Amino acid sequence: MAEEYSGKKFRDKKFSGKKFPGKTVNNGIAMGKVMVLRKDQEQIKRTGIENPEQEIDRLKSAVNAAKQQIAVLYAKAVEEVGESGAAIFEIHQMMLEDENYQDAVCYVIRTEMVNAEYAAAKTGVWFAERFAGMEDAYMQARGADIKDISMRLVRNLSGQGEADFSEMEPSIIVADDLSPSDTIQMAKKKILAFVTVHGSTNSHTAILARMMSIPALIGVPVDLNEIHTGMTAIVDGAAGEVVFAPTEIQCSEAEQEIKNEEEKLRLLRELKGKKNETSDGRTINIYANIGSVSDVDDVLENDAGGIGLFRSEFLYLGRDNFPSEEEQFQAYKQVVQKMGQKKVIIRTLDIGADKQADYFQLGKEENPALGYRAIRICLKQPAIFKTQLRALLRAAVYGNLSIMYPMIISEEEVKQIHAIVEEVAQGLRQAQMPYRIPEQGIMIETPAAVMISDELAELVDFFSIGTNDLTQYTLAIDRQNQQLADFYHPHHKAILRMIKMVVDNAHKCGKWAGICGELGADTELTQEFVNMGVDELSVAPSMILKVREKVRAM
Ligand code: PEP
Ligand code: MG
């Protein structure tokens, strides 16, 4: 075991029982082994060497190990997504075997007299830049692949090996920061908690932590070079602290606290099957937010009335190319079928800003949150949008599916979307494929949409208020910027008045309005939302019963 090495044991002693503060993203307490995720670049040190042939031998072993790893990944991908989806690993294998590539790494080792890690990383960057400069979009996208295999070599050389999340034991993930694409690749059931040095409480990674119902802390001032994979830690979300290498007393206290939490959960579960009804007879729908098909089990387990937000963009993350129509159709169909007659609101692609996938080639932006994202991409690149809409219209035949469009700012956008939906429906009709045009609503997450919500209500079937972005755009505060966390006030009067205005405008037009941003789960506001007449709250699955408890106590 890692702790047995005397050096590490010494380091663990240094930490013994030491508490590090952090900002709470999600409550709860967890104890377990740490898994440290370092950004690839952090490990690459340029070290002078004396024997280049020795480095080249190390490189050859790393290449052989990489070939085996990729072969395993290929076989797994064929099983999970079929041969066409797995083809990317064949490309990786070819690149790895390419003599030009290997010669280039050896050239750097010999001429610069440097370590193989540095040479592999440098060669990867150099090749990637050359690919990026090519005319052909397909070739441009290969830049990410060459970087990927170079980083695989670096990991093998530095002894870190394959970052295979599926095989990991249940762990507390400790990292500098995590992106949504990092987290999407992890086996959710194996993650006990998240601890990051940077990050923001309003980021999508934070949202994922809440969805997974695990304790999570950000802004923890720990030096990642001083902790190591395999050491024990306790993460206490409610107290906002993490303890590395805890003492025996701390461990037994944590065990007791974990038991208390389980008891609270057991009591909450007694609310399953009960109505979301106040003592004076008012009701509200409590739905769930999800990011993948596998989240549906949690939704049913927690007795949600439906799914109020399926962030479909997560189907596009953590992969190398667009999900096909068929792949999306299968995912949407599975969700609606699993949910039976219950409503499932699927939001169309909201990529961009912090949710990046290299193959979209969105390019660098000065202000990504105010940039090319969500519906803007769909309207400018309708081919991507139409593929998703075809999958959605086809899946709508199998259950109670609704579609929702993100980041709307004008009536023109809604009219344009409806025209595209009509065109897609016509295509399906001509191809004699079963389809249904379902209920269609929009997210209200820009101040512009709030201000014209009376007119927008005429055009759509429902509103769902995205308070995460609405707060960011109304208060002019980047939700990703942790430095501004003290200014990000989702309870700000302006936000609450906007919610009221949207709900009133929807009702005047006979439409319904819900909240699917994180504020919907804020039990300090549940009473206010019910009083405002909000029709639905869509929250992380783990929050459903807590919100129900609050409603019933009113
Ligand atoms: C929101 O902005 O409140 C929302 C629900 O969308 P997302 O958090 O995915 O941007
Ligand atoms: Mg949003």
mmCIF file with all atom_site columns, all heavy atoms in Angstrom, residues 202 204 207 289 309 311 313 347 350 355 373 443 445 465-470 479 516-518, ligand 1:
data_model
loop_
_atom_site.group_PDB
_atom_site.id
_atom_site.type_symbol
_atom_site.label_atom_id
_atom_site.label_alt_id
_atom_site.label_comp_id
_atom_site.label_asym_id
_atom_site.label_entity_id
_atom_site.label_seq_id
_atom_site.pdbx_PDB_ins_code
_atom_site.Cartn_x
_atom_site.Cartn_y
_atom_site.Cartn_z
_atom_site.occupancy
_atom_site.B_iso_or_equiv
_atom_site.pdbx_formal_charge
_atom_site.auth_seq_id
_atom_site.auth_comp_id
_atom_site.auth_asym_id
_atom_site.auth_atom_id
_atom_site.pdbx_PDB_model_num
ATOM   1   N N   . ASN A 1 202 ? -20.371 27.810 -8.494  1.00 0.00 ? 202 ASN A N   1
ATOM   2   C CA  . ASN A 1 202 ? -21.468 27.847 -9.456  1.00 0.00 ? 202 ASN A CA  1
ATOM   3   C C   . ASN A 1 202 ? -21.136 27.160 -10.766 1.00 0.00 ? 202 ASN A C   1
ATOM   4   O O   . ASN A 1 202 ? -21.886 27.232 -11.723 1.00 0.00 ? 202 ASN A O   1
ATOM   5   C CB  . ASN A 1 202 ? -21.845 29.302 -9.744  1.00 0.00 ? 202 ASN A CB  1
ATOM   6   C CG  . ASN A 1 202 ? -22.072 30.040 -8.468  1.00 0.00 ? 202 ASN A CG  1
ATOM   7   O OD1 . ASN A 1 202 ? -22.935 29.654 -7.700  1.00 0.00 ? 202 ASN A OD1 1
ATOM   8   N ND2 . ASN A 1 202 ? -21.272 31.049 -8.198  1.00 0.00 ? 202 ASN A ND2 1
ATOM   9   N N   . HIS A 1 204 ? -20.187 24.100 -13.517 1.00 0.00 ? 204 HIS A N   1
ATOM   10  C CA  . HIS A 1 204 ? -20.896 22.858 -13.828 1.00 0.00 ? 204 HIS A CA  1
ATOM   11  C C   . HIS A 1 204 ? -20.308 21.662 -13.086 1.00 0.00 ? 204 HIS A C   1
ATOM   12  O O   . HIS A 1 204 ? -21.001 20.686 -12.841 1.00 0.00 ? 204 HIS A O   1
ATOM   13  C CB  . HIS A 1 204 ? -20.946 22.639 -15.336 1.00 0.00 ? 204 HIS A CB  1
ATOM   14  C CG  . HIS A 1 204 ? -21.982 23.511 -15.967 1.00 0.00 ? 204 HIS A CG  1
ATOM   15  N ND1 . HIS A 1 204 ? -21.686 24.742 -16.472 1.00 0.00 ? 204 HIS A ND1 1
ATOM   16  C CD2 . HIS A 1 204 ? -23.312 23.346 -16.094 1.00 0.00 ? 204 HIS A CD2 1
ATOM   17  C CE1 . HIS A 1 204 ? -22.808 25.301 -16.901 1.00 0.00 ? 204 HIS A CE1 1
ATOM   18  N NE2 . HIS A 1 204 ? -23.800 24.476 -16.702 1.00 0.00 ? 204 HIS A NE2 1
ATOM   19  N N   . ILE A 1 207 ? -22.067 21.689 -9.945  1.00 0.00 ? 207 ILE A N   1
ATOM   20  C CA  . ILE A 1 207 ? -23.436 21.200 -10.155 1.00 0.00 ? 207 ILE A CA  1
ATOM   21  C C   . ILE A 1 207 ? -23.427 19.670 -10.214 1.00 0.00 ? 207 ILE A C   1
ATOM   22  O O   . ILE A 1 207 ? -24.272 19.001 -9.624  1.00 0.00 ? 207 ILE A O   1
ATOM   23  C CB  . ILE A 1 207 ? -24.028 21.801 -11.446 1.00 0.00 ? 207 ILE A CB  1
ATOM   24  C CG1 . ILE A 1 207 ? -24.298 23.298 -11.225 1.00 0.00 ? 207 ILE A CG1 1
ATOM   25  C CG2 . ILE A 1 207 ? -25.309 21.085 -11.871 1.00 0.00 ? 207 ILE A CG2 1
ATOM   26  C CD1 . ILE A 1 207 ? -24.708 24.066 -12.455 1.00 0.00 ? 207 ILE A CD1 1
ATOM   27  N N   . ASN A 1 289 ? -33.041 17.296 -11.972 1.00 0.00 ? 289 ASN A N   1
ATOM   28  C CA  . ASN A 1 289 ? -32.067 17.656 -13.014 1.00 0.00 ? 289 ASN A CA  1
ATOM   29  C C   . ASN A 1 289 ? -31.145 16.465 -13.237 1.00 0.00 ? 289 ASN A C   1
ATOM   30  O O   . ASN A 1 289 ? -30.666 15.865 -12.265 1.00 0.00 ? 289 ASN A O   1
ATOM   31  C CB  . ASN A 1 289 ? -31.203 18.838 -12.552 1.00 0.00 ? 289 ASN A CB  1
ATOM   32  C CG  . ASN A 1 289 ? -31.997 20.127 -12.433 1.00 0.00 ? 289 ASN A CG  1
ATOM   33  O OD1 . ASN A 1 289 ? -33.124 20.210 -12.909 1.00 0.00 ? 289 ASN A OD1 1
ATOM   34  N ND2 . ASN A 1 289 ? -31.409 21.126 -11.801 1.00 0.00 ? 289 ASN A ND2 1
ATOM   35  N N   . LEU A 1 309 ? -34.941 19.008 -16.162 1.00 0.00 ? 309 LEU A N   1
ATOM   36  C CA  . LEU A 1 309 ? -33.800 19.469 -16.968 1.00 0.00 ? 309 LEU A CA  1
ATOM   37  C C   . LEU A 1 309 ? -32.861 18.302 -17.208 1.00 0.00 ? 309 LEU A C   1
ATOM   38  O O   . LEU A 1 309 ? -32.245 17.793 -16.265 1.00 0.00 ? 309 LEU A O   1
ATOM   39  C CB  . LEU A 1 309 ? -33.049 20.594 -16.235 1.00 0.00 ? 309 LEU A CB  1
ATOM   40  C CG  . LEU A 1 309 ? -31.670 20.994 -16.807 1.00 0.00 ? 309 LEU A CG  1
ATOM   41  C CD1 . LEU A 1 309 ? -31.800 21.578 -18.203 1.00 0.00 ? 309 LEU A CD1 1
ATOM   42  C CD2 . LEU A 1 309 ? -30.969 22.006 -15.904 1.00 0.00 ? 309 LEU A CD2 1
ATOM   43  N N   . ARG A 1 311 ? -29.568 17.911 -19.035 1.00 0.00 ? 311 ARG A N   1
ATOM   44  C CA  . ARG A 1 311 ? -28.531 18.713 -19.711 1.00 0.00 ? 311 ARG A CA  1
ATOM   45  C C   . ARG A 1 311 ? -27.913 17.851 -20.811 1.00 0.00 ? 311 ARG A C   1
ATOM   46  O O   . ARG A 1 311 ? -26.912 17.179 -20.593 1.00 0.00 ? 311 ARG A O   1
ATOM   47  C CB  . ARG A 1 311 ? -27.458 19.141 -18.709 1.00 0.00 ? 311 ARG A CB  1
ATOM   48  C CG  . ARG A 1 311 ? -27.912 20.211 -17.721 1.00 0.00 ? 311 ARG A CG  1
ATOM   49  C CD  . ARG A 1 311 ? -26.756 20.618 -16.806 1.00 0.00 ? 311 ARG A CD  1
ATOM   50  N NE  . ARG A 1 311 ? -27.014 21.858 -16.114 1.00 0.00 ? 311 ARG A NE  1
ATOM   51  C CZ  . ARG A 1 311 ? -27.526 21.951 -14.880 1.00 0.00 ? 311 ARG A CZ  1
ATOM   52  N NH1 . ARG A 1 311 ? -27.843 20.880 -14.212 1.00 0.00 ? 311 ARG A NH1 1
ATOM   53  N NH2 . ARG A 1 311 ? -27.717 23.134 -14.328 1.00 0.00 ? 311 ARG A NH2 1
ATOM   54  N N   . GLU A 1 313 ? -26.097 18.357 -23.228 1.00 0.00 ? 313 GLU A N   1
ATOM   55  C CA  . GLU A 1 313 ? -24.718 18.621 -23.692 1.00 0.00 ? 313 GLU A CA  1
ATOM   56  C C   . GLU A 1 313 ? -23.715 17.652 -23.069 1.00 0.00 ? 313 GLU A C   1
ATOM   57  O O   . GLU A 1 313 ? -22.641 17.445 -23.615 1.00 0.00 ? 313 GLU A O   1
ATOM   58  C CB  . GLU A 1 313 ? -24.283 20.065 -23.422 1.00 0.00 ? 313 GLU A CB  1
ATOM   59  C CG  . GLU A 1 313 ? -24.327 20.530 -21.979 1.00 0.00 ? 313 GLU A CG  1
ATOM   60  C CD  . GLU A 1 313 ? -25.698 21.012 -21.550 1.00 0.00 ? 313 GLU A CD  1
ATOM   61  O OE1 . GLU A 1 313 ? -26.668 20.806 -22.304 1.00 0.00 ? 313 GLU A OE1 1
ATOM   62  O OE2 . GLU A 1 313 ? -25.816 21.583 -20.447 1.00 0.00 ? 313 GLU A OE2 1
ATOM   63  N N   . ARG A 1 347 ? -33.194 19.492 -22.512 1.00 0.00 ? 347 ARG A N   1
ATOM   64  C CA  . ARG A 1 347 ? -32.693 20.771 -23.010 1.00 0.00 ? 347 ARG A CA  1
ATOM   65  C C   . ARG A 1 347 ? -31.742 20.510 -24.170 1.00 0.00 ? 347 ARG A C   1
ATOM   66  O O   . ARG A 1 347 ? -30.875 19.639 -24.069 1.00 0.00 ? 347 ARG A O   1
ATOM   67  C CB  . ARG A 1 347 ? -31.950 21.515 -21.895 1.00 0.00 ? 347 ARG A CB  1
ATOM   68  C CG  . ARG A 1 347 ? -31.301 22.787 -22.410 1.00 0.00 ? 347 ARG A CG  1
ATOM   69  C CD  . ARG A 1 347 ? -30.706 23.575 -21.310 1.00 0.00 ? 347 ARG A CD  1
ATOM   70  N NE  . ARG A 1 347 ? -29.438 23.022 -20.846 1.00 0.00 ? 347 ARG A NE  1
ATOM   71  C CZ  . ARG A 1 347 ? -28.752 23.528 -19.833 1.00 0.00 ? 347 ARG A CZ  1
ATOM   72  N NH1 . ARG A 1 347 ? -29.223 24.568 -19.174 1.00 0.00 ? 347 ARG A NH1 1
ATOM   73  N NH2 . ARG A 1 347 ? -27.600 23.006 -19.469 1.00 0.00 ? 347 ARG A NH2 1
ATOM   74  N N   . ASP A 1 350 ? -26.296 22.817 -24.817 1.00 0.00 ? 350 ASP A N   1
ATOM   75  C CA  . ASP A 1 350 ? -25.866 24.091 -24.226 1.00 0.00 ? 350 ASP A CA  1
ATOM   76  C C   . ASP A 1 350 ? -24.345 24.028 -24.043 1.00 0.00 ? 350 ASP A C   1
ATOM   77  O O   . ASP A 1 350 ? -23.837 24.089 -22.926 1.00 0.00 ? 350 ASP A O   1
ATOM   78  C CB  . ASP A 1 350 ? -26.584 24.309 -22.888 1.00 0.00 ? 350 ASP A CB  1
ATOM   79  C CG  . ASP A 1 350 ? -26.255 25.657 -22.268 1.00 0.00 ? 350 ASP A CG  1
ATOM   80  O OD1 . ASP A 1 350 ? -25.588 26.478 -22.926 1.00 0.00 ? 350 ASP A OD1 1
ATOM   81  O OD2 . ASP A 1 350 ? -26.650 25.899 -21.119 1.00 0.00 ? 350 ASP A OD2 1
ATOM   82  N N   . LYS A 1 355 ? -18.284 24.543 -20.722 1.00 0.00 ? 355 LYS A N   1
ATOM   83  C CA  . LYS A 1 355 ? -18.469 23.183 -21.248 1.00 0.00 ? 355 LYS A CA  1
ATOM   84  C C   . LYS A 1 355 ? -17.866 23.102 -22.647 1.00 0.00 ? 355 LYS A C   1
ATOM   85  O O   . LYS A 1 355 ? -18.504 23.494 -23.620 1.00 0.00 ? 355 LYS A O   1
ATOM   86  C CB  . LYS A 1 355 ? -19.959 22.817 -21.247 1.00 0.00 ? 355 LYS A CB  1
ATOM   87  C CG  . LYS A 1 355 ? -20.497 22.578 -19.849 1.00 0.00 ? 355 LYS A CG  1
ATOM   88  C CD  . LYS A 1 355 ? -21.978 22.336 -19.810 1.00 0.00 ? 355 LYS A CD  1
ATOM   89  C CE  . LYS A 1 355 ? -22.765 23.605 -19.992 1.00 0.00 ? 355 LYS A CE  1
ATOM   90  N NZ  . LYS A 1 355 ? -24.166 23.521 -19.603 1.00 0.00 ? 355 LYS A NZ  1
ATOM   91  N N   . ARG A 1 373 ? -22.230 30.254 -27.640 1.00 0.00 ? 373 ARG A N   1
ATOM   92  C CA  . ARG A 1 373 ? -22.639 29.113 -26.814 1.00 0.00 ? 373 ARG A CA  1
ATOM   93  C C   . ARG A 1 373 ? -24.116 28.793 -27.052 1.00 0.00 ? 373 ARG A C   1
ATOM   94  O O   . ARG A 1 373 ? -24.865 29.580 -27.623 1.00 0.00 ? 373 ARG A O   1
ATOM   95  C CB  . ARG A 1 373 ? -22.368 29.366 -25.327 1.00 0.00 ? 373 ARG A CB  1
ATOM   96  C CG  . ARG A 1 373 ? -23.061 30.565 -24.744 1.00 0.00 ? 373 ARG A CG  1
ATOM   97  C CD  . ARG A 1 373 ? -22.923 30.648 -23.230 1.00 0.00 ? 373 ARG A CD  1
ATOM   98  N NE  . ARG A 1 373 ? -23.665 29.589 -22.569 1.00 0.00 ? 373 ARG A NE  1
ATOM   99  C CZ  . ARG A 1 373 ? -23.987 29.600 -21.269 1.00 0.00 ? 373 ARG A CZ  1
ATOM   100 N NH1 . ARG A 1 373 ? -23.615 30.591 -20.507 1.00 0.00 ? 373 ARG A NH1 1
ATOM   101 N NH2 . ARG A 1 373 ? -24.671 28.612 -20.737 1.00 0.00 ? 373 ARG A NH2 1
ATOM   102 N N   . MET A 1 443 ? -35.704 28.272 -21.806 1.00 0.00 ? 443 MET A N   1
ATOM   103 C CA  . MET A 1 443 ? -35.109 28.654 -20.534 1.00 0.00 ? 443 MET A CA  1
ATOM   104 C C   . MET A 1 443 ? -35.118 30.165 -20.452 1.00 0.00 ? 443 MET A C   1
ATOM   105 O O   . MET A 1 443 ? -34.845 30.848 -21.439 1.00 0.00 ? 443 MET A O   1
ATOM   106 C CB  . MET A 1 443 ? -33.674 28.149 -20.452 1.00 0.00 ? 443 MET A CB  1
ATOM   107 C CG  . MET A 1 443 ? -33.650 26.657 -20.388 1.00 0.00 ? 443 MET A CG  1
ATOM   108 S SD  . MET A 1 443 ? -32.225 25.992 -19.572 1.00 0.00 ? 443 MET A SD  1
ATOM   109 C CE  . MET A 1 443 ? -32.107 26.862 -18.061 1.00 0.00 ? 443 MET A CE  1
ATOM   110 N N   . GLU A 1 445 ? -33.028 32.670 -18.843 1.00 0.00 ? 445 GLU A N   1
ATOM   111 C CA  . GLU A 1 445 ? -31.758 32.792 -18.114 1.00 0.00 ? 445 GLU A CA  1
ATOM   112 C C   . GLU A 1 445 ? -30.971 34.025 -18.539 1.00 0.00 ? 445 GLU A C   1
ATOM   113 O O   . GLU A 1 445 ? -29.801 34.173 -18.188 1.00 0.00 ? 445 GLU A O   1
ATOM   114 C CB  . GLU A 1 445 ? -30.931 31.508 -18.224 1.00 0.00 ? 445 GLU A CB  1
ATOM   115 C CG  . GLU A 1 445 ? -30.739 30.984 -19.625 1.00 0.00 ? 445 GLU A CG  1
ATOM   116 C CD  . GLU A 1 445 ? -30.031 29.631 -19.672 1.00 0.00 ? 445 GLU A CD  1
ATOM   117 O OE1 . GLU A 1 445 ? -29.429 29.204 -18.672 1.00 0.00 ? 445 GLU A OE1 1
ATOM   118 O OE2 . GLU A 1 445 ? -30.058 29.016 -20.747 1.00 0.00 ? 445 GLU A OE2 1
ATOM   119 N N   . ILE A 1 465 ? -36.843 28.687 -15.485 1.00 0.00 ? 465 ILE A N   1
ATOM   120 C CA  . ILE A 1 465 ? -35.912 29.771 -15.168 1.00 0.00 ? 465 ILE A CA  1
ATOM   121 C C   . ILE A 1 465 ? -34.551 29.205 -14.761 1.00 0.00 ? 465 ILE A C   1
ATOM   122 O O   . ILE A 1 465 ? -34.457 28.430 -13.800 1.00 0.00 ? 465 ILE A O   1
ATOM   123 C CB  . ILE A 1 465 ? -36.487 30.678 -14.050 1.00 0.00 ? 465 ILE A CB  1
ATOM   124 C CG1 . ILE A 1 465 ? -37.893 31.159 -14.457 1.00 0.00 ? 465 ILE A CG1 1
ATOM   125 C CG2 . ILE A 1 465 ? -35.568 31.871 -13.800 1.00 0.00 ? 465 ILE A CG2 1
ATOM   126 C CD1 . ILE A 1 465 ? -38.646 31.883 -13.352 1.00 0.00 ? 465 ILE A CD1 1
ATOM   127 N N   . GLY A 1 466 ? -33.528 29.578 -15.505 1.00 0.00 ? 466 GLY A N   1
ATOM   128 C CA  . GLY A 1 466 ? -32.163 29.124 -15.218 1.00 0.00 ? 466 GLY A CA  1
ATOM   129 C C   . GLY A 1 466 ? -31.494 30.173 -14.345 1.00 0.00 ? 466 GLY A C   1
ATOM   130 O O   . GLY A 1 466 ? -30.862 31.113 -14.827 1.00 0.00 ? 466 GLY A O   1
ATOM   131 N N   . THR A 1 467 ? -31.633 29.997 -13.035 1.00 0.00 ? 467 THR A N   1
ATOM   132 C CA  . THR A 1 467 ? -31.150 31.050 -12.128 1.00 0.00 ? 467 THR A CA  1
ATOM   133 C C   . THR A 1 467 ? -29.623 31.141 -12.077 1.00 0.00 ? 467 THR A C   1
ATOM   134 O O   . THR A 1 467 ? -29.088 32.168 -11.676 1.00 0.00 ? 467 THR A O   1
ATOM   135 C CB  . THR A 1 467 ? -31.674 30.801 -10.700 1.00 0.00 ? 467 THR A CB  1
ATOM   136 O OG1 . THR A 1 467 ? -31.418 29.441 -10.377 1.00 0.00 ? 467 THR A OG1 1
ATOM   137 C CG2 . THR A 1 467 ? -33.151 31.093 -10.601 1.00 0.00 ? 467 THR A CG2 1
ATOM   138 N N   . ASN A 1 468 ? -28.925 30.087 -12.498 1.00 0.00 ? 468 ASN A N   1
ATOM   139 C CA  . ASN A 1 468 ? -27.454 30.154 -12.450 1.00 0.00 ? 468 ASN A CA  1
ATOM   140 C C   . ASN A 1 468 ? -26.960 31.214 -13.425 1.00 0.00 ? 468 ASN A C   1
ATOM   141 O O   . ASN A 1 468 ? -26.178 32.095 -13.079 1.00 0.00 ? 468 ASN A O   1
ATOM   142 C CB  . ASN A 1 468 ? -26.831 28.807 -12.815 1.00 0.00 ? 468 ASN A CB  1
ATOM   143 C CG  . ASN A 1 468 ? -27.439 27.663 -12.040 1.00 0.00 ? 468 ASN A CG  1
ATOM   144 O OD1 . ASN A 1 468 ? -27.932 27.861 -10.948 1.00 0.00 ? 468 ASN A OD1 1
ATOM   145 N ND2 . ASN A 1 468 ? -27.413 26.476 -12.612 1.00 0.00 ? 468 ASN A ND2 1
ATOM   146 N N   . ASP A 1 469 ? -27.436 31.102 -14.667 1.00 0.00 ? 469 ASP A N   1
ATOM   147 C CA  . ASP A 1 469 ? -27.007 32.106 -15.643 1.00 0.00 ? 469 ASP A CA  1
ATOM   148 C C   . ASP A 1 469 ? -27.734 33.429 -15.439 1.00 0.00 ? 469 ASP A C   1
ATOM   149 O O   . ASP A 1 469 ? -27.154 34.489 -15.641 1.00 0.00 ? 469 ASP A O   1
ATOM   150 C CB  . ASP A 1 469 ? -27.235 31.587 -17.075 1.00 0.00 ? 469 ASP A CB  1
ATOM   151 C CG  . ASP A 1 469 ? -26.100 30.677 -17.500 1.00 0.00 ? 469 ASP A CG  1
ATOM   152 O OD1 . ASP A 1 469 ? -24.937 31.026 -17.220 1.00 0.00 ? 469 ASP A OD1 1
ATOM   153 O OD2 . ASP A 1 469 ? -26.358 29.623 -18.086 1.00 0.00 ? 469 ASP A OD2 1
ATOM   154 N N   . LEU A 1 470 ? -28.994 33.360 -15.032 1.00 0.00 ? 470 LEU A N   1
ATOM   155 C CA  . LEU A 1 470 ? -29.728 34.615 -14.832 1.00 0.00 ? 470 LEU A CA  1
ATOM   156 C C   . LEU A 1 470 ? -29.021 35.469 -13.766 1.00 0.00 ? 470 LEU A C   1
ATOM   157 O O   . LEU A 1 470 ? -28.905 36.688 -13.903 1.00 0.00 ? 470 LEU A O   1
ATOM   158 C CB  . LEU A 1 470 ? -31.179 34.330 -14.415 1.00 0.00 ? 470 LEU A CB  1
ATOM   159 C CG  . LEU A 1 470 ? -32.075 35.560 -14.336 1.00 0.00 ? 470 LEU A CG  1
ATOM   160 C CD1 . LEU A 1 470 ? -32.141 36.304 -15.663 1.00 0.00 ? 470 LEU A CD1 1
ATOM   161 C CD2 . LEU A 1 470 ? -33.484 35.188 -13.890 1.00 0.00 ? 470 LEU A CD2 1
ATOM   162 N N   . ARG A 1 479 ? -19.927 33.382 -13.223 1.00 0.00 ? 479 ARG A N   1
ATOM   163 C CA  . ARG A 1 479 ? -20.209 32.313 -12.251 1.00 0.00 ? 479 ARG A CA  1
ATOM   164 C C   . ARG A 1 479 ? -19.014 31.403 -12.020 1.00 0.00 ? 479 ARG A C   1
ATOM   165 O O   . ARG A 1 479 ? -18.979 30.626 -11.060 1.00 0.00 ? 479 ARG A O   1
ATOM   166 C CB  . ARG A 1 479 ? -21.451 31.504 -12.673 1.00 0.00 ? 479 ARG A CB  1
ATOM   167 C CG  . ARG A 1 479 ? -21.280 30.738 -13.957 1.00 0.00 ? 479 ARG A CG  1
ATOM   168 C CD  . ARG A 1 479 ? -22.613 30.251 -14.506 1.00 0.00 ? 479 ARG A CD  1
ATOM   169 N NE  . ARG A 1 479 ? -22.894 28.861 -14.188 1.00 0.00 ? 479 ARG A NE  1
ATOM   170 C CZ  . ARG A 1 479 ? -23.861 28.145 -14.766 1.00 0.00 ? 479 ARG A CZ  1
ATOM   171 N NH1 . ARG A 1 479 ? -24.642 28.683 -15.680 1.00 0.00 ? 479 ARG A NH1 1
ATOM   172 N NH2 . ARG A 1 479 ? -24.055 26.901 -14.447 1.00 0.00 ? 479 ARG A NH2 1
ATOM   173 N N   . CYS A 1 516 ? -35.198 25.736 -12.859 1.00 0.00 ? 516 CYS A N   1
ATOM   174 C CA  . CYS A 1 516 ? -34.306 24.563 -12.922 1.00 0.00 ? 516 CYS A CA  1
ATOM   175 C C   . CYS A 1 516 ? -32.864 24.928 -12.553 1.00 0.00 ? 516 CYS A C   1
ATOM   176 O O   . CYS A 1 516 ? -31.991 24.074 -12.568 1.00 0.00 ? 516 CYS A O   1
ATOM   177 C CB  . CYS A 1 516 ? -34.360 23.895 -14.288 1.00 0.00 ? 516 CYS A CB  1
ATOM   178 S SG  . CYS A 1 516 ? -33.769 24.945 -15.616 1.00 0.00 ? 516 CYS A SG  1
ATOM   179 N N   . GLY A 1 517 ? -32.618 26.198 -12.212 1.00 0.00 ? 517 GLY A N   1
ATOM   180 C CA  . GLY A 1 517 ? -31.281 26.579 -11.734 1.00 0.00 ? 517 GLY A CA  1
ATOM   181 C C   . GLY A 1 517 ? -31.106 26.087 -10.298 1.00 0.00 ? 517 GLY A C   1
ATOM   182 O O   . GLY A 1 517 ? -32.076 25.622 -9.664  1.00 0.00 ? 517 GLY A O   1
ATOM   183 N N   . GLU A 1 518 ? -29.905 26.223 -9.769  1.00 0.00 ? 518 GLU A N   1
ATOM   184 C CA  . GLU A 1 518 ? -29.605 25.706 -8.426  1.00 0.00 ? 518 GLU A CA  1
ATOM   185 C C   . GLU A 1 518 ? -30.481 26.335 -7.339  1.00 0.00 ? 518 GLU A C   1
ATOM   186 O O   . GLU A 1 518 ? -30.702 25.757 -6.292  1.00 0.00 ? 518 GLU A O   1
ATOM   187 C CB  . GLU A 1 518 ? -28.128 25.949 -8.093  1.00 0.00 ? 518 GLU A CB  1
ATOM   188 C CG  . GLU A 1 518 ? -27.167 25.208 -8.994  1.00 0.00 ? 518 GLU A CG  1
ATOM   189 C CD  . GLU A 1 518 ? -27.300 23.704 -8.882  1.00 0.00 ? 518 GLU A CD  1
ATOM   190 O OE1 . GLU A 1 518 ? -26.879 23.143 -7.865  1.00 0.00 ? 518 GLU A OE1 1
ATOM   191 O OE2 . GLU A 1 518 ? -27.845 23.080 -9.814  1.00 0.00 ? 518 GLU A OE2 1
HETATM 192 C C1  . PEP B 2 .   ? -28.999 27.805 -15.331 1.00 0.00 ? 1   PEP B C1  1
HETATM 193 O O1  . PEP B 2 .   ? -28.300 28.598 -15.966 1.00 0.00 ? 1   PEP B O1  1
HETATM 194 O O2  . PEP B 2 .   ? -29.562 28.084 -14.268 1.00 0.00 ? 1   PEP B O2  1
HETATM 195 C C2  . PEP B 2 .   ? -29.163 26.421 -15.820 1.00 0.00 ? 1   PEP B C2  1
HETATM 196 C C3  . PEP B 2 .   ? -30.015 25.588 -15.266 1.00 0.00 ? 1   PEP B C3  1
HETATM 197 O O3  . PEP B 2 .   ? -28.368 26.022 -16.847 1.00 0.00 ? 1   PEP B O3  1
HETATM 198 P P1  . PEP B 2 .   ? -26.805 25.658 -16.654 1.00 0.00 ? 1   PEP B P1  1
HETATM 199 O O4  . PEP B 2 .   ? -26.493 25.670 -15.196 1.00 0.00 ? 1   PEP B O4  1
HETATM 200 O O5  . PEP B 2 .   ? -26.583 24.334 -17.268 1.00 0.00 ? 1   PEP B O5  1
HETATM 201 O O6  . PEP B 2 .   ? -26.131 26.770 -17.400 1.00 0.00 ? 1   PEP B O6  1
#
